[in-house]
Amino acid sequence: MRAKFAILLSNLNVLPFARDRHDHALSVLRWLALLVPMAAAVGSLCAAFLWSLDVATRTRFAHPWLLFLLPVGGFAVGLLYHLFGRSVEGGNNLIVEQVHEPGGGVPLRMAPLIFLGTVVTHLFGGSAGREGAAVQLGGSLASAFATMFRLDAESTRIILMAGIAAGFGAVFGTPLAGAVFALEVLAVGRVEYRALVPTLIAAVVGDWTCHQWGIHHGMYNIDYLKGAVGPIAIDPVLLLEAGVAGVAFGLVGLLFSELSHGFGDFVKRHVRFGPLRPFLGGLAVIALVYLFGTRDYLGLGVRAPDASTPTIADFFAPGPDYWSWALKLLFTVVTLGTGFKGGEVTPLFFIGAALGHALGTLFGAPVDLFAGLGFVAVFAGAANTPLACTIMGIELFGATHAVYIAVACFVAYLCSGHSGIYLSQQIAVPKHPRISISPGITLRSVRAARPQITKAGSS
């Protein structure tokens, strides 16, 4: 009887089905046992990092003379990297490269070095962000977990993406965007769906852990259509203006990327000794402060010492301000291009919100809406992550404006060209069908080939 029952189950494919579900359940449990503590550790470290940045920023506000120590602080961090951190100089690009081709791993020393380096940048007044540190903290800890548990190459790729998601989700308070960002940032035109669930788990756990430590993120409100319930009728004129603004957001994202890489390459060619670059960069930032007569564009741009200093939140309110985006771009390019540590994303939020504010004012459109569009769309263009940025906009500003956000982000993505802040990104699908690019080529290779193409065309 038992034999007949077993044969019946086999004929019905019940046993293979049950075995597959059993193996799948064990795999899920193993991944949960790995992802949850890793993401909790990343979230805790990001909480400590955000708290440290807040203390550093408040200290700089209380002691304005700290700006004059920016060259010294830059030299000290540069020397630290020169002596102990050459293997992690690649930063975010190193993590992206390891996801593409797992090899030597991401050294654990990346975490304390980027933590300290970014805090020093903000303590003395450099214009930088925090996403670079968050991604590197997440990638470094994830790589340590991969080494500890001897994961194979494919599992290492997945946990590195999960580490990126945990860091991004925790530092910005946007876990859904963090999960998608980790999948989308690897290649232009492709999303790594195979790691979707691990990155989502890691981003949610990282964000939740960060909140449990008492960390609160900035709130940005769009009052346009506030309180609307149900499906919202799309205003065709406003949608067209959002598309036009998306072109500007993409071009500014392109401008930021090209200036950052170009200026950084120029400095490296002419200043061979690494620690000297941020020393000179600190002097250049001080010179910019006195040239323009303002300290408004130092630091993150999310907190101000007084009401006269513009912050990201201020761009969501009416008022004439047409050039803050350009000045913040200049201060940030000089800071990061000379080797100071930090990230590009929060400055891009500032640049985008300020540009959106200016465009909204020119169009006679809702300024708060266009500040929100710029907030995410300039980043979408510079990072080639339109889907993650659309989701971030919805998480931050609500689904009421989802269509306008999506249009701005995707237009910006198309208009930013084959350039970006992460040169290790591969091009899976070219943005324009008439452009012939070998699959898998990196943005770095595309950028390096440009002078050769120019010479070939002129010969």
Side-chain angles (χ1 to χ4, degrees):
M1 186 68 179
R2 291 182 179 178
K4 291 182 179 179
F5 185 67
I7 293 173
L8 177 62
L9 291 179
S10 178
N11 290 335
L12 293 174
N13 290 322
V14 173
L15 291 179
F17 177 82
R19 189 162 45 248
D20 287 346
R21 300 286 71 76
H22 174 266
D23 293 343
H24 183 262
L26 287 179
S27 177
V28 169
L29 290 175
R30 283 196 295 268
W31 272 108
L32 284 174
L34 189 61
L35 289 172
V36 171
M38 183 277 294
V42 172
S44 296
L45 199 53
C46 285
F49 171 67
L50 292 175
W51 177 84
S52 299
L53 283 188
D54 187 61
V55 171
T57 300
R58 291 178 183 275
T59 302
R60 176 169 59 84
F61 289 161
H63 305 285
W65 54 268
L66 285 172
L67 174 64
F68 299 103
L69 295 180
L70 183 61
V72 178
F75 183 86
V77 172
L79 185 61
L80 195 62
Y81 268 81
H82 183 74
L83 296 175
F84 306 107
R86 294 191 182 188
S87 62
V88 298
E89 279 284 1
N92 292 354
N93 286 301
L94 173 61
I95 297 173
V96 172
E97 290 166 5
Q98 285 299 307
V99 174
H100 286 309
E101 296 182 11
V106 181
L108 188 59
R109 71 183 66 181
M110 174 182 276
L113 285 173
I114 191 62
F115 190 116
L116 176 63
T118 305
V119 170
V120 168
T121 297
H122 288 283
L123 175 64
F124 297 120
S127 176
R130 52 196 175 185
E131 139 278 342
V135 169
Q136 291 175 54
L137 290 173
S140 179
L141 287 183
S143 181
F145 270 72
T147 302
M148 184 187 310
F149 292 97
R150 300 180 182 179
L151 300 182
D152 58 30
E154 183 58 28
S155 297
T156 298
R157 293 184 72 246
I158 291 174
I159 198 170
L160 282 174
M161 285 187 270
I164 294 172
F168 193 97
V171 83
F172 293 121
T174 53
L176 292 180
V180 177
F181 175 82
L183 307 175
E184 192 179 23
V185 74
L186 304 176
V188 177
R190 185 183 67 204
V191 178
E192 292 274 356
Y193 282 109
R194 74 183 73 183
L196 181 58
V197 174
T199 57
L200 180 59
I201 292 170
V204 171
V205 172
D207 176 57
W208 179 83
T209 303
C210 190
H211 280 288
Q212 295 310 300
W213 286 106
I215 299 299
H216 300 286
H217 302 282
M219 300 293 292
Y220 305 103
N221 297 316
I222 296 179
D223 289 329
Y224 175 67
L225 297 181
K226 186 175 182 180
V229 178
I232 305 298
I234 301 301
D235 183 335
V237 174
L238 195 59
L239 191 65
L240 177 62
E241 291 173 337
V244 173
V247 174
F249 297 146
L251 293 176
V252 169
L254 171 63
L255 177 65
F256 179 88
S257 300
E258 290 301 307
L259 285 179
S260 296
H261 299 315
F263 184 63
D265 291 344
F266 173 83
V267 172
K268 288 177 181 177
R269 283 197 305 269
H270 292 85
V271 184
R272 296 291 183 179
F273 185 51
L276 187 58
R277 296 170 197 150
F279 178 84
L280 296 175
L283 294 177
V285 170
I286 294 172
L288 288 176
V289 167
Y290 282 91
L291 175 64
F292 291 102
T294 180
R295 298 186 178 214
D296 292 354
Y297 307 105
L298 302 177
L300 282 170
V302 298
R303 188 184 297 276
D306 54 62
S308 64
T309 301
T311 64
I312 295 175
D314 292 331
F315 298 122
F316 286 77
D321 190 330
Y322 295 103
W323 297 108
S324 280
W325 66 270
L327 290 172
K328 184 63 174 178
L329 188 151
L330 175 62
F331 274 76
T332 306
V333 165
V334 170
T335 298
L336 297 179
T338 53
F340 280 94
K341 302 304 173 184
E344 301 93 344
V345 175
T346 305
L348 285 171
F349 290 163
F350 186 108
I351 293 165
L355 179 59
H357 174 99
L359 292 174
T361 302
L362 288 174
F363 294 159
V367 169
D368 52 355
L369 174 61
F370 275 72
L373 298 182
F375 184 106
V376 291
V378 171
F379 176 36
N384 296 303
T385 54
L387 183 58
C389 290
T390 298
I391 294 172
M392 172 179 273
I394 293 171
E395 285 187 286
L396 292 174
F397 311 126
T400 301
H401 314 291
V403 174
Y404 302 111
I405 292 169
V407 167
C409 286
F410 281 84
V411 170
Y413 164 76
L414 290 175
C415 292
S416 64
H418 294 103
S419 180
I421 54 179
Y422 306 122
L423 290 179
S424 292
Q425 273 183 328
Q426 295 181 353
I427 299 177
V429 180
K431 296 184 182 181
H432 307 290
R434 294 184 181 180
I435 296 178
S436 178
I437 294 178
S438 301
I441 192 172
T442 64
L443 296 184
R444 180 180 288 106
S445 298
V446 171
R447 190 169 182 277
R450 288 174 189 163
Q452 299 173 11
I453 292 172
T454 302
K455 291 176 183 177
S458 61
S459 61

